[in-house]
PDB file of all heavy atoms in Angstrom:
ATOM      1  N   GLY E  47      94.811  86.444 101.587  1.00 50.00           N
ATOM      2  CA  GLY E  47      94.748  85.441 100.521  1.00 50.00           C
ATOM      3  C   GLY E  47      94.427  84.066 101.069  1.00 50.00           C
ATOM      4  O   GLY E  47      93.652  83.307 100.485  1.00 50.00           O
ATOM      5  N   ASP E  48      95.026  83.732 102.225  1.00 51.00           N
ATOM      6  CA  ASP E  48      94.761  82.461 102.884  1.00 51.00           C
ATOM      7  C   ASP E  48      93.289  82.375 103.291  1.00 51.00           C
ATOM      8  O   ASP E  48      92.630  81.340 103.136  1.00 51.00           O
ATOM      9  CB  ASP E  48      95.663  82.355 104.113  1.00 51.00           C
ATOM     10  CG  ASP E  48      95.674  80.959 104.713  1.00 51.00           C
ATOM     11  OD1 ASP E  48      95.127  80.047 104.082  1.00 51.00           O
ATOM     12  OD2 ASP E  48      96.244  80.793 105.811  1.00 51.00           O
ATOM     13  N   TYR E  50      90.729  84.000 101.936  1.00 46.00           N
ATOM     14  CA  TYR E  50      89.876  83.860 100.748  1.00 46.00           C
ATOM     15  C   TYR E  50      89.872  82.412 100.249  1.00 46.00           C
ATOM     16  O   TYR E  50      88.836  81.885  99.821  1.00 46.00           O
ATOM     17  CB  TYR E  50      90.356  84.786  99.635  1.00 46.00           C
ATOM     18  CG  TYR E  50      89.873  86.209  99.784  1.00 46.00           C
ATOM     19  CD1 TYR E  50      90.778  87.257  99.965  1.00 46.00           C
ATOM     20  CD2 TYR E  50      88.517  86.529  99.735  1.00 46.00           C
ATOM     21  CE1 TYR E  50      90.341  88.571 100.101  1.00 46.00           C
ATOM     22  CE2 TYR E  50      88.072  87.835  99.875  1.00 46.00           C
ATOM     23  CZ  TYR E  50      88.988  88.855 100.049  1.00 46.00           C
ATOM     24  OH  TYR E  50      88.559  90.142 100.181  1.00 46.00           O
ATOM     25  N   ARG E  51      91.036  81.759 100.304  1.00 49.00           N
ATOM     26  CA  ARG E  51      91.073  80.354  99.866  1.00 49.00           C
ATOM     27  C   ARG E  51      90.229  79.484 100.782  1.00 49.00           C
ATOM     28  O   ARG E  51      89.543  78.561 100.337  1.00 49.00           O
ATOM     29  CB  ARG E  51      92.531  79.867  99.849  1.00 49.00           C
ATOM     30  CG  ARG E  51      93.327  80.398  98.674  1.00 49.00           C
ATOM     31  CD  ARG E  51      94.676  79.712  98.578  1.00 49.00           C
ATOM     32  NE  ARG E  51      95.572  80.107  99.658  1.00 49.00           N
ATOM     33  CZ  ARG E  51      96.335  81.191  99.631  1.00 49.00           C
ATOM     34  NH1 ARG E  51      96.312  81.978  98.581  1.00 49.00           N
ATOM     35  NH2 ARG E  51      97.126  81.479 100.644  1.00 49.00           N
ATOM     36  N   ASN E  52      90.266  79.781 102.083  1.00 46.00           N
ATOM     37  CA  ASN E  52      89.456  79.029 103.035  1.00 46.00           C
ATOM     38  C   ASN E  52      87.964  79.196 102.747  1.00 46.00           C
ATOM     39  O   ASN E  52      87.191  78.238 102.809  1.00 46.00           O
ATOM     40  CB  ASN E  52      89.771  79.504 104.461  1.00 46.00           C
ATOM     41  CG  ASN E  52      88.978  78.754 105.522  1.00 46.00           C
ATOM     42  OD1 ASN E  52      89.259  77.604 105.807  1.00 46.00           O
ATOM     43  ND2 ASN E  52      87.988  79.420 106.096  1.00 46.00           N
ATOM     44  N   GLU E  53      87.561  80.429 102.429  1.00 46.00           N
ATOM     45  CA  GLU E  53      86.156  80.692 102.097  1.00 46.00           C
ATOM     46  C   GLU E  53      85.716  79.856 100.907  1.00 46.00           C
ATOM     47  O   GLU E  53      84.603  79.309 100.872  1.00 46.00           O
ATOM     48  CB  GLU E  53      85.961  82.176 101.784  1.00 46.00           C
ATOM     49  CG  GLU E  53      86.136  83.089 102.982  1.00 46.00           C
ATOM     50  CD  GLU E  53      86.175  84.549 102.561  1.00 46.00           C
ATOM     51  OE1 GLU E  53      85.480  84.891 101.583  1.00 46.00           O
ATOM     52  OE2 GLU E  53      86.907  85.328 103.178  1.00 46.00           O
ATOM     53  N   ALA E  54      86.591  79.760  99.916  1.00 45.00           N
ATOM     54  CA  ALA E  54      86.244  78.999  98.711  1.00 45.00           C
ATOM     55  C   ALA E  54      86.073  77.522  99.027  1.00 45.00           C
ATOM     56  O   ALA E  54      85.153  76.862  98.535  1.00 45.00           O
ATOM     57  CB  ALA E  54      87.332  79.197  97.643  1.00 45.00           C
ATOM     58  N   VAL E  55      86.964  76.990  99.860  1.00 42.00           N
ATOM     59  CA  VAL E  55      86.875  75.577 100.230  1.00 42.00           C
ATOM     60  C   VAL E  55      85.575  75.308 100.976  1.00 42.00           C
ATOM     61  O   VAL E  55      84.877  74.311 100.727  1.00 42.00           O
ATOM     62  CB  VAL E  55      88.095  75.166 101.083  1.00 42.00           C
ATOM     63  CG1 VAL E  55      87.890  73.762 101.663  1.00 42.00           C
ATOM     64  CG2 VAL E  55      89.364  75.217 100.247  1.00 42.00           C
ATOM     65  N   GLY E  58      82.700  74.927  98.815  1.00 46.00           N
ATOM     66  CA  GLY E  58      82.777  73.851  97.831  1.00 46.00           C
ATOM     67  C   GLY E  58      83.272  74.312  96.486  1.00 46.00           C
ATOM     68  O   GLY E  58      83.007  73.671  95.462  1.00 46.00           O
ATOM     69  N   GLU E  59      84.023  75.412  96.455  1.00 47.00           N
ATOM     70  CA  GLU E  59      84.535  75.958  95.198  1.00 47.00           C
ATOM     71  C   GLU E  59      86.046  75.762  95.129  1.00 47.00           C
ATOM     72  O   GLU E  59      86.702  75.445  96.110  1.00 47.00           O
ATOM     73  CB  GLU E  59      84.218  77.462  95.112  1.00 47.00           C
ATOM     74  CG  GLU E  59      82.740  77.791  95.229  1.00 47.00           C
ATOM     75  CD  GLU E  59      82.512  79.280  95.415  1.00 47.00           C
ATOM     76  OE1 GLU E  59      83.527  79.999  95.610  1.00 47.00           O
ATOM     77  OE2 GLU E  59      81.354  79.715  95.389  1.00 47.00           O
ATOM     78  N   GLU E  60      86.598  75.974  93.927  1.00 53.00           N
ATOM     79  CA  GLU E  60      88.042  75.948  93.767  1.00 53.00           C
ATOM     80  C   GLU E  60      88.641  77.184  94.435  1.00 53.00           C
ATOM     81  O   GLU E  60      88.122  78.289  94.265  1.00 53.00           O
ATOM     82  CB  GLU E  60      88.418  75.945  92.282  1.00 53.00           C
ATOM     83  CG  GLU E  60      88.152  74.623  91.579  1.00 53.00           C
ATOM     84  CD  GLU E  60      89.059  73.515  92.100  1.00 53.00           C
ATOM     85  OE1 GLU E  60      90.248  73.797  92.363  1.00 53.00           O
ATOM     86  OE2 GLU E  60      88.567  72.389  92.275  1.00 53.00           O
ATOM     87  N   PRO E  61      89.703  77.022  95.216  1.00 52.00           N
ATOM     88  CA  PRO E  61      90.324  78.194  95.856  1.00 52.00           C
ATOM     89  C   PRO E  61      90.796  79.209  94.814  1.00 52.00           C
ATOM     90  O   PRO E  61      91.276  78.837  93.741  1.00 52.00           O
ATOM     91  CB  PRO E  61      91.523  77.586  96.608  1.00 52.00           C
ATOM     92  CG  PRO E  61      91.186  76.144  96.769  1.00 52.00           C
ATOM     93  CD  PRO E  61      90.373  75.765  95.568  1.00 52.00           C
ATOM     94  N   GLU E  62      90.670  80.477  95.141  1.00 58.00           N
ATOM     95  CA  GLU E  62      91.118  81.537  94.243  1.00 58.00           C
ATOM     96  C   GLU E  62      92.608  81.790  94.433  1.00 58.00           C
ATOM     97  O   GLU E  62      93.121  81.681  95.540  1.00 58.00           O
ATOM     98  CB  GLU E  62      90.390  82.850  94.556  1.00 58.00           C
ATOM     99  CG  GLU E  62      88.912  82.849  94.253  1.00 58.00           C
ATOM    100  CD  GLU E  62      88.304  84.195  94.610  1.00 58.00           C
ATOM    101  OE1 GLU E  62      88.610  84.715  95.697  1.00 58.00           O
ATOM    102  OE2 GLU E  62      87.524  84.714  93.798  1.00 58.00           O
ATOM    103  N   ASP E  63      93.292  82.137  93.338  1.00 63.00           N
ATOM    104  CA  ASP E  63      94.634  82.664  93.510  1.00 63.00           C
ATOM    105  C   ASP E  63      94.518  84.180  93.675  1.00 63.00           C
ATOM    106  O   ASP E  63      93.419  84.742  93.640  1.00 63.00           O
ATOM    107  CB  ASP E  63      95.544  82.287  92.331  1.00 63.00           C
ATOM    108  CG  ASP E  63      95.045  82.822  90.991  1.00 63.00           C
ATOM    109  OD1 ASP E  63      94.285  83.822  90.972  1.00 63.00           O
ATOM    110  OD2 ASP E  63      95.424  82.255  89.948  1.00 63.00           O
ATOM    111  N   ALA E  64      95.655  84.852  93.859  1.00 70.00           N
ATOM    112  CA  ALA E  64      95.623  86.289  94.143  1.00 70.00           C
ATOM    113  C   ALA E  64      94.990  87.073  93.007  1.00 70.00           C
ATOM    114  O   ALA E  64      94.223  88.018  93.232  1.00 70.00           O
ATOM    115  CB  ALA E  64      97.042  86.785  94.407  1.00 70.00           C
ATOM    116  N   GLN E  66      92.745  86.022  90.768  1.00 78.00           N
ATOM    117  CA  GLN E  66      91.303  85.770  90.721  1.00 78.00           C
ATOM    118  C   GLN E  66      90.576  86.544  91.816  1.00 78.00           C
ATOM    119  O   GLN E  66      89.491  87.091  91.584  1.00 78.00           O
ATOM    120  CB  GLN E  66      91.035  84.270  90.864  1.00 78.00           C
ATOM    121  CG  GLN E  66      91.477  83.449  89.662  1.00 78.00           C
ATOM    122  CD  GLN E  66      91.424  81.957  89.951  1.00 78.00           C
ATOM    123  OE1 GLN E  66      91.631  81.507  91.082  1.00 78.00           O
ATOM    124  NE2 GLN E  66      91.130  81.171  88.919  1.00 78.00           N
ATOM    125  N   ALA E  67      91.185  86.585  92.993  1.00 78.00           N
ATOM    126  CA  ALA E  67      90.567  87.326  94.099  1.00 78.00           C
ATOM    127  C   ALA E  67      90.501  88.814  93.791  1.00 78.00           C
ATOM    128  O   ALA E  67      89.492  89.474  94.050  1.00 78.00           O
ATOM    129  CB  ALA E  67      91.352  87.083  95.386  1.00 78.00           C
TER     130      ALA E  67
END
Side-chain angles (χ1 to χ4, degrees):
D48 192 9
Y50 278 117
R51 285 189 290 275
N52 181 74
E53 292 170 34
V55 171
E59 303 169 352
E60 287 293 321
E62 293 180 315
D63 60 23
Q66 291 170 328

